[in-house]
Structure formats: structure tokens, C-alpha cells
Amino acid sequence: MDLSYSKQDKAFRKQVRAWMKKNVPKKDKSLSTLAPDDPRRIERAKAWQRSLHRTGYVARGWPKEYGGQGDSDVMRQTIVNEELILARAPGLIGASGLTMLGPTLLQCGTEQQKQRYLPTVLTAEEIWCQGYSEPGSGSDLASLRTRAELVGDEFIINGQKVWTSGAQFSDWMFCLVRTDPDAPKHRGISYVLIDMKTPGITVRPLVQMTGDAGFNEVFFEDVRVPRDNLVGDLHQGWMVANATLFHERNMLGSTTRTQMMMHNLLRLARSHRRYGKPAAEDPVIRQKLAELLGRVEAMKYHSLRQLTDVIKGRRAGLGAMVNKLVGTELNHDICALALEIMNSYAPLKRGADRVIDNGVWQYEFMFTLGLIIGGGTSQIQKNIISERGLGMPKSG
Amino acid sequence: MDFSLSAEQELLQNTAREFLSQECPPGLVRELYDDPKGFSPELHRKTAELGWTGLLIPEAHGGLGLGMLDMAVLLEEIGRAVVPGPFVFSSVLTTLGLVQAGSPAQRETWLPRLAAGQAIGTLAFLEADDRLDARGVRLKAKKTKHGYVLSGTKMFVPFAEVADVLLVVARTSGKAEQGVSLFLVERQAPGLSLTPLDIVDQTRRVYRAEFQQVAVPKTALVGKKDKGWKIVARLLDAACVALAADSLGGAQKALDLAVEYTKTRTQFNRPIASFQALKHMAAEMASDIEPARSLVWYAAYAFDALPAEASRAAALAKARLSDVYARTTNRAVQMHGGIGFTWEHDMHFWFKRAKWNEFAFGDATYHRERLAQLEGF
């Protein structure tokens, strides 16, 4: 155990921080009123990822031949990720390509697919969305029914996806489709890449409880996709997808954002007066703050432990399985306490007169609840932990 | 940056787990529940042979010269096996008191004996008021020509009856932090009488210690007169880390036992481990325990390596593990159903130890408020 950072890592962090200071785009108020898929917003977000990539700060671990840095030093990417959050930099518009499609292609894609798709994921020239959930297939994802019939060298796709984040501005979708309706449900699925400009695709935005249209319904009507867009073997999509799901669920649970939220919560508790005195002086609020701080710190060190495991090439086990469950619930609980502290001010909306912190807590309170559900609900996480982590048998 | 155990620490962990599963099985815990002193001299001797009693003692005094993280790794195993006896109070608290503040003569006299398992120590700190701050220290130590005379009552002194020496926190002047002094008092000292307090968790025996004009020589003073609170505060941090580690091991064991049981118990024609109500309970327990392990390692590491962080980390760990151990054992008993509630089943050993650990040296509420003060909420 040695929690000090090496000279090289410290120097690298200093360099990254200086770069962020100069280059993180300032908030542009004129953009905040635009729809999430307004071309001006998209272009700005792509420019930001492009500039990060040019500096060598995006997916450093990817091989050089596909546009990456070929830098296997996990610590450096972690430092970049932390500094991005500390600098309050905008998120990456190409995140699902970077965190989900990329690792899957690197693991299961053909050479030609890697060369074709990976470089533009890095530069954000092409944005990807995930086509998994369907109206009838949520937690029971393998029951999905979007049908892909292989006719000659093409799949003909019919069906519907839902909760597809960013579909309205995505260029491509990595998608699970049913290629063999007669096989057992896990064995008739294939993983295909769909160009969103293909005729027959309709995207309909869904408004979330926050008021934003972040995700969509996507309809497929006789959509023709070349057979070359199949990733992995035909009917083996469930295995390919599990590689992706694994990346989604076990993404090194960075706790920097949680720590920043906790920091902001403490600031709010000190400054906001509740029933006549600063909230932080209320003994019950103090207890709740300290309880959350304990959970935040535990996750902070837990992620350092996992980072060490990755650096040393050790397999992630039960420790990593709990990240999604614990992390998302913790973030939501932090927001809930912020609302409790704000009391009568809590129901005010973004932009309202006298609203505190510009309504970010109210927004995040709702958004973080969405994250508890998305990517495998907390209940599904508990099934995974108990079955794969603790060896308890499947239900029913 | 390396947040992991060293190869030596992993070896210690494995050795300890194997040794304790052989030498301190639940059967021995059960036997010691009925023992008047709750202590096995034989087990104590064997742990001394492994070097555990001297883990924190410098090599020059016959110990292994290791640190708090090594100790936490060991205590996790001790907690897993709910080992009865004075180990924490002797080999962590008394030992650290002497290592950090003892005079050369005191160290020379006691450390080699503590390391070799020939002597046992304990900490006499709490009084009837049950206060953890310096104002709670009222047992009087009056200076005389030859030394000091101690008068007053200490409460909840762990394993006083098997201890050879008590590290006594006393009042030499004033009322608050200034004026607290520490003394080494031998159990046989005239005027010292012990009364066992019947206790639910029989792995953790406690005593009321009555000091009636107990005379000790000047050389019994540990550290400087009136300046003892700093040492006590450091020992309280050590106690928090130690109990957090013990709790971590106990919680893990309770979860393991519960999961194992539900895989074998059949109801409605299938193992009850297949019911989501129980699976989700188990998953929640694991989700509490996994991050808590990192927190305990951090607190132990900080105790030695990051002095400015040590108190904060100890409070965090103690608060969190108090909650986690209590909640985990509660659920582990429930997952066993009726059998978990019986005396005959072993589950109650961990359930009771969780409660002892929760309230000793400050409960979760106390440490959260302490944290709030340290953080300046």
C-alpha cells in the first residue's frame, strides 16, 4: 500500500490540469436554450472531443493503428478522467462509442471493422447509440423481438427499440436483433451495426421526467443492413453483448464526480439556512452528511483498490460487481439530502427566481434516479451480485 | 499509487485464516463462552509463537516491527473467527501505548514479555459516566513522595482478570485534556479489586476495576505527567481501526455463513437461496462489505502513513463498520430463519460481537458527529 503518486504521474497531472485550464470550453448560455439535438450544440460537443483527442486524452489505451495512443498506463487515463471532472468539462458526446462499442469491437470485431469504425469513434466524427432495450424487453433483455432476416448478403430489420439515448443525433447504432426466432432466446440473437441514415428508420424523442428529451424510440421498417456489419458470429450476439454489458457495468467506477457532488453538498449545508440556522448546524443533518461522507469515502478507496487491480492485471471480482448498485444509489442519496436541506426551496425549477444552485440538485435528483434504472436496474444488479458474485442459484 | 496488500500481508492473511480455522473453530468459541475468564492460555501461547502478540512491537524488543495495516489484516481474520480474548486490548492498545509513550525502562520491561505472550495488558479508560472525552477521566492520581496514589473506579475494563498489567488513564490535575496522565498498574497491586460484569457477548469480557488507594512508583507514569491525553487520543484512533477491522471480518463471515446455509436449506421444493428476497438481502450485504474493506485498509494505512488524516479515517471506518456489522449480522440471522435464533447454532456469536463492537469506543452516531467536527461542517 502506497497512496503517493509517482513523480511522472504528478507531472502528467500538472500538465493535464494546465491544459484543461486553457482549453475547457466556457459555458455558452446562448446554447443552453437549444434542443439537445440542435446542430450547433452537436458541433460544439464534437469539437470538444476532437480537441481532447488531438491532445491524446481520449481512450489512451486503444492501439495506435486505430487512432489511439497505445498507452497501456491505466493511471494516466484515470488522471485525465479525474481532471476532466474537476475542470467541470462537458461530457464526451461519443461516450457510448468509446466505452461500449469500442471495447467490444477490440474484443470481437474483425480487423476490417476495427479499422473502419474505431478511428471515427475517437474523433467523434461518428456518434454511436446503443440499440438494446425494447418496449417488451427491459430487464429481460434476451427476450427482444426486433427481427433481422438474412436475405442474401443483407439483414432486413423490422421492430422497435426504446430508451435509446442520443439516437436523434447518432450516426450509427450497435444493435441487438433476433436472427433465429426458433432458437432458445439467448441463442438466436445477433449483434449488428446499423447506419442511422438507412431508409426505414424513424427516431421519435421521448421526454424524460427532467423535461429533457435525452432518449428515444427507434422504429425499423424493412431496414437493410449489409451482412458485413455483423459483429461476432451469427446468433452469437448475446455473448458479444455481454462483453459490452460487462464494460458498461464495470467501468472503473470513477468516484470523482461523486466526491465533487459531496463537496458541493457540504458547501450547500454550510451556506443554506434551514429553520433559522445553517443546515450544517442541525444535528440530524450533520448525521446524514457524515453518513454519506462515509459511503463516499469508502467508494473512493474502493475505486483505488480496483484501479490497482487493473494496473496489476488482476481479475475484477465481486468488488467490481457492486459499483453500479452502490454508486448510483449513493449519487441519488446525495441529491436527496440536498433537497432536504433546501426545504421549501427544493421544489423550485431551473431558472426560477431565488432557485438555489440554478436547480442543479432538483435536476440531478431526477437524473440520478434514471441512472439507478438504466444499464440494469438495481434489482438486476442484485441478481448479478448474488448469482455471479455469491454463487446463489437462479430464481424460478 | 498502489492500493493493495503486499505479498507478505496476503501471506499473513492466509496463514491467519488457516490457523484460526484449525485452532479457534466455533467449538472453541462455544467452550470459552462457559469459561469463567473467557480466555484460552493455549491459544494465546500459539498466537505468540506466530508472532501476532508482537506484531506492532519493534524487533529490538522481540516483536515483528510491523504496522497497523498488517494488524488490520490479522484482525479481520480474528473477527472472522470471533476469537475470544484480550488480543486487541493487549497486543494493539497496551502495546501501542508503550511503544509510543513508554519510558526506555517500561519498554524494556514489558514489550519483550508482551511480544512473547508471557504478559497480557489491557486498557482501563472508561468510567461510570461512560464519556469518551477527557472530561470523563476522573479517577484520581495523587502525587506523593514516592510516586502516585490512584483512587476511583474504572468501568468496562476488558479482560482485566487475565491481564498482568493495566494501562490506566487517570486525572493528575485539571478537568479537561490538560491533567490527564497514564499509569502502568499491575493487576496484583494492593487496593485494586476487580468485579466481572456479566456480558451478553462472552467473547469480550469486561470488569469494573476499583482503585482504593493504589500506590504506584514514579516509574509507573507513562509519558509526561498531565500530558497523557494525546496518547489516549491516539489509542482511541487505534481502537477504532482495530474494531473496524474485526467487524469487517465478522461481517464477511456472517454473510458467508448465511449464503452457505440458504444454498442447502430447501423450502417449497427448492433451495431458499433461489428466492430473490434472500438473494437481494445477500447482495446488499456484499455491497456494504466490499467498499467497507477498502475503507478499513485505508484507515489502517493512514494511521501509520498519513498522521494528519488518521483521526478522520479512523472515525469514518468505525462509524461505517459499526453500521455494516450490525446490519449484516441482523440479516444473516434472519436468513437462517428459526435455527439462527437458537443458542445451538453459532450465528449468535457474530450477532453479539457486532453489538459489542458497535458501542465500544464510540458508536456510529458519536463518530459521525466527531467527523462533522473534524470536517468543520
Side-chain angles (χ1 to χ4, degrees), chain B residues 41-362:
Chain B
E42 197 197 340
L43 180 63
H44 183 71
R45 185 178 52 74
K46 286 181 182 164
T47 57
E49 280 166 11
L50 287 168
W52 295 359
T53 45
L55 201 87
L56 297 175
I57 294 175
E59 287 173 83
H61 293 296
L64 297 180
L66 297 176
M68 201 53 149
L69 182 56
D70 308 279
M71 184 50 97
V73 167
L74 175 59
L75 285 170
E76 188 181 335
E77 297 310 318
I78 284 177
R80 176 190 287 269
V82 278
V83 177
F87 187 80
V88 170
F89 316 102
S90 180
S91 302
V92 180
L93 301 181
T94 310
T95 295
L96 276 181
L98 285 168
V99 167
Q100 303 200 342
S103 68
Q106 286 164 344
R107 291 160 59 105
E108 202 54 59
T109 310
W110 288 105
L111 290 180
R113 293 179 59 199
L114 284 166
Q118 290 156 0
I120 290 170
T122 192
L123 180 69
F125 169 53
L126 289 176
E127 299 186 13
D129 278 354
D130 193 24
R131 291 178 67 152
L132 284 169
D133 63 348
R135 290 190 175 267
V137 179
R138 295 180 36 199
L139 181 132
K140 217 189 257 163
K142 212 175 136 201
K143 197 158 184 352
T144 63
K145 218 163 126 191
H146 307 290
Y148 296 84
V149 173
L150 278 60
S151 314
T153 304
K154 286 288 173 188
M155 287 292 289
F156 314 113
V157 183
F159 290 94
E161 207 178 332
V162 297
D164 300 280
V165 67
L166 286 72
L167 185 56
V168 182
V169 185
R171 170 74 51 204
T172 34
S173 70
K175 283 186 169 154
E177 293 183 9
Q178 175 71 22
V180 170
S181 304
L182 273 75
F183 296 92
L184 277 178
V185 180
E186 294 190 31
R187 180 178 41 93
Q188 307 288 8
L192 172 59
S193 59
L194 302 173
T195 310
L197 302 169
D198 222 351
I199 191 163
V200 175
D201 173 15
Q202 309 238 47
T203 68
R204 303 277 208 208
R205 303 300 174 89
V206 293
Y207 295 78
R208 180 163 61 86
E210 202 76 53
F211 292 75
Q212 283 177 318
Q213 308 278 322
V214 176
V216 295
K218 274 181 209 155
T219 53
L221 180 69
V222 178
K224 290 207 177 85
K225 180 174 169 285
D226 294 336
K227 308 278 187 207
W229 184 252
K230 254 193 153 159
I231 307 164
V232 176
R234 182 81 174 143
L235 294 183
L236 293 181
D237 283 346
C240 286
V241 176
L243 290 187
D246 184 277
S247 300
L248 172 65
Q252 181 68 59
K253 179 69 179 182
L255 171 61
D256 293 349
L257 284 171
V259 167
E260 210 37 58
Y261 177 77
T262 58
K263 286 179 188 169
T264 54
R265 168 77 174 165
T266 305
Q267 286 288 276
F268 306 101
N269 299 319
R270 56 191 216 188
I272 61 172
S274 67
F275 294 116
Q276 282 194 331
L278 293 179
K279 285 163 74 173
H280 288 195
M281 245 188 197
E284 284 162 16
M285 290 149 84
S287 306
D288 275 346
I289 292 168
E290 284 298 317
R293 175 165 295 114
S294 309
L295 190 60
V296 169
W297 288 2
Y298 172 70
Y301 170 78
F303 186 83
D304 288 331
L306 308 169
E309 277 279 290
S311 287
R312 182 180 171 278
L316 276 166
K318 178 62 169 70
R320 188 74 193 136
L321 270 297
S322 293
D323 285 346
V324 168
Y325 197 9
R327 187 160 55 224
T328 307
T329 47
N330 172 307
R331 289 174 167 197
V333 170
Q334 291 191 55
M335 287 171 76
H336 279 83
I339 191 76
F341 183 65
T342 64
W343 190 268
E344 175 197 342
H345 195 274
D346 297 332
M347 202 56 233
H348 66 103
F349 299 152
W350 287 272
F351 179 79
K352 291 169 182 171
R353 179 103 139 204
K355 276 299 171 198
W356 197 95
N357 284 5
E358 181 182 351
F359 299 123
F361 299 101

Side-chain angles (χ1 to χ4, degrees), chain A residues 2 287 308 382-383 387, chain B residues 2-3 279-280 284 368:
Chain A
D2 176 7
Q287 283 290 317
T308 304
K382 287 175 193 174
N383 285 349
E387 287 165 16
Chain B
D2 178 358
F3 197 99
K279 285 163 74 173
H280 288 195
E284 284 162 16
R368 283 194 289 261

Side-chain angles (χ1 to χ4, degrees), chain A residues 25-212:
Chain A
K26 301 269 175 306
K27 266 231 157 76
D28 185 343
K29 286 224 168 108
S30 70
L31 288 175
S32 65
T33 52
L34 299 176
D37 55 345
D38 187 283
R40 278 167 290 176
R41 267 181 102 145
I42 303 296
E43 190 30 58
R44 204 176 139 93
K46 287 186 173 184
W48 166 234
Q49 184 171 328
R50 219 163 33 237
S51 129
L52 267 178
H53 174 60
R54 222 182 298 122
T55 321
Y57 289 169
V58 175
R60 298 178 58 86
W62 290 17
K64 279 198 171 138
E65 58 263 44
Y66 310 126
Q69 302 288 310
D71 179 6
S72 58
D73 188 340
V74 185
M75 182 52 101
R76 287 181 173 229
Q77 187 61 56
T78 306
I79 288 172
V80 171
N81 295 347
E82 286 174 0
E83 292 301 321
L84 277 168
I85 293 165
L86 292 172
R88 293 166 199 271
L92 294 189
I93 186 166
S96 58
L98 289 166
T99 58
M100 292 187 274
L101 174 76
T104 308
L105 283 187
L106 284 169
Q107 202 173 320
C108 312
T110 63
E111 186 54 38
Q112 195 253 341
Q113 285 169 341
K114 291 183 210 174
Q115 282 178 15
R116 162 64 188 84
Y117 297 112
L118 292 177
T120 53
V121 163
L122 289 167
T123 57
E125 272 167 84
E126 291 178 311
I127 303 300
W128 289 79
C129 59
Q130 180 198 53
Y132 282 13
S133 297
E134 296 183 7
S137 305
S139 293
D140 181 13
L141 183 59
S143 71
L144 59 91
R145 282 161 45 187
T146 293
R147 181 82 172 90
E149 235 177 313
L150 193 55
V151 180
D153 276 350
E154 281 181 334
F155 292 106
I156 299 173
I157 299 179
N158 283 285
Q160 186 199 338
K161 295 290 172 181
V162 75
W163 322 134
T164 318
S165 297
Q168 70 272 53
F169 53 78
S170 287
D171 304 289
W172 286 86
M173 172 189 278
F174 51 95
C175 188
L176 291 179
V177 290
R178 182 150 311 276
T179 38
D180 184 356
D182 301 323
K185 64 179 180 179
H186 293 93
R187 288 189 217 142
I189 294 171
S190 297
Y191 189 107
V192 294
L193 310 178
I194 303 175
D195 184 340
M196 293 295 280
K197 287 184 291 291
T198 319
I201 298 179
T202 313
V203 176
R204 198 173 78 87
L206 286 166
V207 180
Q208 299 166 184
M209 68 155 75
T210 57
D212 286 348

